[in-house]
Amino acid sequence: MNYLDESYWTQRYEQGATGWDIGYASTPLVQYLDQIENRDIKVLIPGGGNGHEAAYAFEKGFQNTFLLDFAKSPLTKFRKSNPQFPEENLLNEDFFTHKGDYDLILEQTFFCALHPDQREAYCEKMKTLLKPNGKIVGVLFSIEFERQGPPFGGKIRDYEKLFSKYFDIIKMEPCYNSIPPRRGAELFFMLQNQ
């Protein structure tokens, strides 16, 4: 099955089969964004779906926030509920063909939606999208799921092996501020472009 097929993701959104969507911006990313002083940075949220983190970032003054998703329906819904968000910052595109340069890329349930075979390509693409010293910050599942994904999980040692080939790992640790249902099952990580 191709997990980067637009119809697959559109169908999941339209059927409400979006168990990864907690309905609000995730606590780890909210607390990270709240610490950033320079709100002029350019931010990308790939596979951002319903855009809770994008809405939060924009409301907090990150005017250069871009929300990218393969499926059009969540972006249309986001546009209706966030009319102040610039329409040109809503990107209905394939992440792997997207062009841009960003200071910060937020990772929230996009990596886990990709088949593990696509993880090297994810890293290669992220590297091209980040400015020098730009960062990827977010959360990853630190467990293996019993059923076939998505979501796809993993182990910290595998993530470290993968990411260290492309980025400097600034942080990779158990996430202390996960939402209760995910407590003990997430890692908070920060990678910096070399």
Side-chain angles (χ1 to χ4, degrees), residues 37-79:
E37 291 182 20
N38 179 7
R39 306 282 161 117
D40 294 327
I41 62 172
K42 192 173 177 187
V43 180
L44 176 67
I45 305 171
N50 290 318
H52 306 297
E53 286 77 18
Y56 182 84
F58 190 79
E59 178 185 308
K60 292 296 177 179
F62 294 91
Q63 303 294 300
N64 293 317
T65 297
F66 292 79
L67 176 61
L68 182 146
D69 205 283
F70 208 48
K72 188 170 184 68
S73 59
L75 296 176
T76 301
K77 183 178 171 187
F78 179 88
R79 180 77 185 127

Side-chain angles (χ1 to χ4, degrees), residues 115-182:
H115 191 276
D117 291 348
Q118 295 173 297
R119 291 180 174 176
E120 292 276 352
Y122 167 99
C123 290
E124 290 167 6
K125 185 61 184 180
M126 285 289 197
K127 195 156 186 61
T128 69
L129 293 173
L130 281 174
K131 293 179 182 178
N133 299 315
K135 292 182 178 121
I136 305 170
V137 175
V139 290
L140 301 168
F141 283 115
S142 60
I143 58 171
E144 296 282 1
F145 295 99
E146 291 178 13
R147 60 178 177 70
Q148 177 69 18
F152 298 95
K155 296 184 172 82
I156 190 169
R157 68 177 176 270
D158 297 327
Y159 295 146
E160 289 172 336
K161 184 178 176 185
L162 171 68
F163 293 133
S164 64
K165 291 192 277 185
Y166 298 92
F167 307 102
D168 293 326
I169 300 174
I170 308 297
K171 192 172 283 198
M172 178 81 64
E173 62 192 25
C175 190
Y176 71 88
N177 54 359
S178 295
I179 62 169
R182 295 182 185 170

